[in-house]
Amino acid sequence: MSFTKIKQVNLPTAAKAGEGFKVVIEVDGEIPFAQLIIRHADGWEWIVKEQRVTAIGNGQYQFEVPAEAYHAGTAYLQVEGCRVADLAESTSDDWISQHRELEIEGGQNGHQPKTPKEIPEPTVSLKRSTKPVIYFAIHKHMHQPYYNTTDTDYWDGEKDDIFGQRGGPYTSFIPTAVWQYINGELGHAGLSTSWSGSLIEQLHRCNETGRGHGAFSNWNHELRHIAQAKTAFGNPRVDFSAFGYFHPLMPLIPERDIIGQIKWHKKIIQETFGVEASDVMFPPETAFQPHMIPALRKAGVTAVMYDSIHHFRAVKGYPYAGPSEGMLPPNKADQVNDKVDDWVQLNNIWAPSKISPSLLKPCLLVYTDHEGNEHEIVGVPAERYLGNEDARGGYGALQYEAVMGQIYDQLVKTGGYDPDHPPFFILHSDGDNYGGGADSYYNHNTSGLVKMCQNDPRFQLITIKDYLHQFPVDSENRVHLEPGSWAGADNGDPQFTKWFSWAEKDYSPDLNSWAVLTALQNVVYSLEDYEADEDLVHELKRLLYMAETSCYWYWTGQDVWDHQVTNATNKGLEMAQQALKKLIISKRDTTGPTIFMPWVRPANPGGKDWGQGNLKDAPRKATFLTFVHDISGVKSVTLYYYKQGHKRRKKAIMENLDIYPSRTNPAVIARQYKAVLPAGTGNIRYYIEAVDKRGNVSHSPVGRIHIA
C-alpha cells in the first residue's frame, strides 16, 4: 500500500540534552524515504535520516535521535516522508509532513544553544560637507496575495513552490545584508522593507504546517533579532515600513480603508517582528496621489516614498521624451512646480527620459481638499531608473559608481549642490523577485556596496530616518506631485492604466471589479456606522480589505484574478444579508454614498493621446466617469469644478448610466455616472458630490486637469 499520510507521531514524555531520544511515527503505507528535521530558534538545524531510521513493523518507523542533534530549549520537529525513493524526481506534492514541539531539559553534554550575536553600538560619522555627497537608501518589498479570497487556506503544489523558492528573502537575506553594514562600520546604513499582512499570515501558516518546502520553521527569528539593531542616530537599521495590510492600490480606495489597512498592518508588524511599524510609508506599487495625504496623516504616517519621475513631470518645462517614456505628455494642470535647469540624460542604464539631480531630495507634498484645507506630508523620492536597474541584481545590472557618478558630475557642473539638503533617493525593488531578490544581491552585491561607501566619499548608504534627522526637509520646498506608480506597472502612468485595463472596450474586467468593490465598500461602511454586530463587521472588513488587493487588477484577463473581488463580495453579502435587511427597514442609514475616484478620458483633452504606434491629437472635450453606490439608493450625483485660483464653483449633473454590465454575477454592483465638459474649460480642479435618498452626502477627493 502506498504511503499517503502520517497517522500519528509519538514523542518521548521527556528529553534531556546530551542523552538522545527516539521518535516513532505511524503511517498508512510503506515510506520510500523518511526523515526528521530538528530545529532551534537560534538557527540550529539537524537532519535524522537513512541509517538512523528503522521500519519496526505495523506501519511504524523509528527515528534514533543522537545527542549531538539538539540542545536544551524548545526543539521544533518536522517529521516527513517522501512517496518516491528517488528524491531528484520528487516534487513538493510527494512530501507529507507533520510538525511537533518538544521541550529539551538542560544537560551536561551536547550542543549548547548559540547566543544571538551581539549588535555593536555604531558611532556617528555623518556631517555636513561642502563637497557634494550623494546619499541613498535601499528599500525591499515583500508580498504574496491570497490566491482565493473565499478560502485563505487554499494551497497547491504551485503555491508551495512559489513560497519555497523564496525561503531566503523571507527569512535570512535581510539580516545577512544588514550585518555587512554593521561589520563594515557604516554607522548610518540600513534598509527599509515592506511586508504585506497577507504574506505574513501565510508565512505563519507555513511555519505551522510545513508548507513552502518546509523552509519557514521559526521564519521570523533572525528578522526579529536584526530588528533591534540601531543606527548611530538610534533609528532602526531595518525599518518595517508602514503599509496597507492586503496590498491595496491606495489612490483608488476611500480614506477610511487607507486608514484601516494601515492600522491593521501596524498590529501584525509589532506581533511578528517585535518592533513598531515605521511612520514612513512605502505605498503598494509605489502608487501615490496627493489626495492620500489626509488619510496617511490620520493613520500616523509622517513621510511617504514616491517614484521620482512623477516629481520631474510636475515641473514647468519638463523635457518630455516622447512615446519612449512610456507615458503621455504630462497634463498641464500637474505642471505647477518651479522650473529647473539641471536635466541630465543617464547613460549605461535604461533611462528613456532625463532626470534632475536637484529634485532628488525629500520635500513637502501638498494637497488641498474641496473645502480649501491644505494638507502636507514629507515625500521621499525613490529613483525610478536606478531602482529599476537595482531590481535586476545590483552590480552587473546597475553599476553604482558609474551611474551615480553621472548625477554627482551634474551637481558639480551646475553648482546645484546644497550642503544643507544634499541629494537623497531610494533604490526600491521587490525583495523576493528576480535579481534583486537573489542570494547574490544580499551577499556579494551588498559586500560591493559596503566597500564603495568605505572607499568613495561621493556616495553614502544611509537610512531614510537618519537622513531626515541630519538634513530636515526645507519647509519652503513645497511641491505638487503628479499621480502615478512605479515603472513596472505599464510605466506607472498618472491614469493608473495597469488597473484600468481594457477601459475603452465594451467590457473591462478591471472596471467591473471597481464597480463591485464600490458597492461592497458602501455595504460595509453602512453596517459599521450602524454599529452592527462587531464580529460580523470585522469579518466583513477583512473580506473588503482582501478584495482591495491590487494583484486582482494587475493580472487582467485571467478568470482566477478577475473574479476574486466578486467572490469576496458575494460571500460578504451572504454573511451580511440579515443585518443589512434590518438596517434598511430601520431607516437609520447615516452613511453617505460611496464614490469611486473619478477618471477622465482622454487623459489630456485637447493635447495628445495614444495613436497607432505614436501620439495623436486628443479630443478636446473631457468625459468624467465614476461609480457610485448607496444601500438606500442614490438621489443625485454632481460634478463640481472651478478654475485654479478661483473660488466660484460650477457644476454639471452627472448622467446615470445604470449598473455596470457585469459578467461575474455579483450580488451587488455600483452604477456608473458620466459628465462631459467642453473644450476650452481650462485648468480646473474638480470633485464629485453624491447624495443618497435619505439626504446623506459624500464628496470625492479633488482632482485636477487642463482641458484645452
Side-chain angles (χ1 to χ4, degrees), residues 101-122:
E101 293 183 12
L102 180 64
E103 291 300 321
I104 309 295
E105 298 177 11
Q108 298 301 314
N109 302 311
H111 170 79
Q112 295 302 309
K114 293 188 294 185
T115 301
K117 188 175 180 181
E118 184 177 350
I119 301 171
E121 290 285 336

Side-chain angles (χ1 to χ4, degrees), residues 136 138 140 172-184 186 189-191 390 393-395 400-401 435-436 438-454 461:
F136 68 100
I138 290 174
K140 288 298 180 183
S172 62
F173 284 2
I174 285 177
T176 294
V178 174
W179 272 112
Q180 292 196 65
Y181 307 155
I182 294 170
N183 295 333
L186 302 183
L191 55 79
D390 199 46
Y395 280 112
Y400 297 94
E401 295 96 333
D439 174 82
S440 58
Y441 181 94
Y442 293 90
N443 280 282
H444 176 73
N445 178 73
T446 298
S447 175
L449 276 180
V450 170
K451 290 177 182 176
M452 178 186 76
C453 294
Q454 290 172 330
L461 179 62

Side-chain angles (χ1 to χ4, degrees), residues 153-399:
D153 198 38
Y154 170 73
W155 200 262
D156 57 21
E158 179 191 35
K159 309 304 173 293
D160 213 57
D161 288 342
I162 289 172
F163 278 77
Q165 293 163 5
R166 291 165 171 77
Y170 297 156
T171 59
S172 62
F173 284 2
I174 285 177
T176 294
V178 174
W179 272 112
Q180 292 196 65
Y181 307 155
I182 294 170
N183 295 333
E185 298 183 347
L186 302 183
H188 301 280
L191 55 79
S192 56
T193 181
S194 47
W195 294 65
S196 69
S198 55
L199 169 62
I200 293 172
E201 286 184 358
Q202 291 179 90
L203 290 176
H204 286 329
R205 194 165 298 169
C206 286
N207 176 40
E208 295 166 0
T209 64
R211 291 173 178 173
H213 297 185
F216 300 105
S217 177
N218 206 32
W219 67 274
N220 56 340
H221 171 70
E222 290 187 58
L223 287 161
R224 285 181 69 94
H225 180 54
I226 201 66
Q228 304 304 317
K230 303 294 184 183
T231 66
F233 286 152
N235 293 311
R237 291 270 197 181
V238 178
D239 206 23
F240 288 93
S241 302
F243 198 69
Y245 197 94
F246 284 103
H247 203 280
L249 196 76
M250 290 184 171
L252 301 182
I253 65 172
E255 177 181 283
R256 66 194 289 170
D257 287 358
I258 294 175
I259 296 170
Q261 292 243 17
I262 293 172
K263 287 185 174 179
W264 278 32
H265 181 260
K266 285 182 177 180
K267 185 172 185 292
I268 200 169
I269 289 296
Q270 202 285 326
E271 291 172 347
T272 302
F273 301 113
V275 293
E276 295 297 322
S278 178
D279 57 355
V280 179
M281 163 164 275
F282 177 77
E285 308 286 4
T286 330
F288 181 80
Q289 192 152 344
H291 72 250
M292 292 164 49
I293 294 174
L296 299 184
R297 295 305 303 266
K298 289 176 184 177
V301 175
T302 63
V304 62
M305 305 177 214
Y306 66 86
D307 192 295
S308 61
I309 198 170
H310 300 299
H311 189 176
F312 301 155
R313 285 168 50 93
V315 169
K316 297 174 183 176
Y318 169 72
Y320 175 62
S324 63
E325 191 169 296
M327 290 182 280
L328 292 170
N331 188 271
K332 291 182 180 179
D334 283 316
Q335 294 187 292
V336 297
N337 301 316
D338 292 340
K339 187 176 182 179
V340 296
D341 57 6
D342 63 339
W343 299 106
V344 60
Q345 180 65 58
L346 297 178
N347 298 310
N348 301 318
I349 186 176
W350 176 79
S353 61
K354 294 181 178 180
I355 74 166
S356 165
S358 65
L359 299 181
L360 288 175
K361 64 182 70 173
C363 56
L364 289 177
L365 306 179
V366 182
Y367 167 71
T368 304
D369 64 27
H370 75 280
E371 294 180 331
N373 302 311
E374 276 199 350
H375 308 266
E376 63 182 35
I377 196 169
V378 172
V380 184
E383 212 302 298
R384 163 164 289 213
Y385 300 128
L386 275 72
N388 188 72
E389 290 296 294
D390 199 46
R392 297 200 298 117
Y395 280 112
L398 173 60
Q399 296 298 318

Side-chain angles (χ1 to χ4, degrees), residues 624-688:
F624 293 74
L625 295 159
T626 188
F627 295 116
V628 181
H629 186 80
D630 192 276
I631 65 167
S632 297
V634 177
K635 179 180 179 181
S636 66
V637 179
T638 307
L639 173 70
Y640 285 90
Y641 61 100
Y642 52 97
K643 293 280 184 74
Q644 169 65 6
H646 292 248
K647 293 185 178 181
R648 181 172 175 270
R649 285 162 166 73
K650 297 181 180 181
K651 66 180 181 178
I653 303 301
M654 300 195 77
E655 178 187 359
N656 181 354
L657 301 180
D658 210 339
I659 62 172
Y660 191 77
S662 178
R663 298 178 185 175
T664 57
N665 299 313
V668 63
I669 190 167
R671 292 176 178 269
Q672 190 172 16
Y673 291 81
K674 180 180 82 169
V676 178
L677 295 185
T681 300
N683 188 348
I684 62 168
R685 306 295 180 263
Y686 63 89
Y687 63 91
I688 290 173

Side-chain angles (χ1 to χ4, degrees), residues 455-473:
N455 300 319
D456 194 332
R458 296 179 300 168
F459 313 116
Q460 288 300 308
L461 179 62
I462 187 174
T463 66
I464 296 171
K465 288 185 175 177
D466 267 28
Y467 177 91
L468 293 174
H469 175 97
Q470 183 72 5
F471 306 108
V473 176

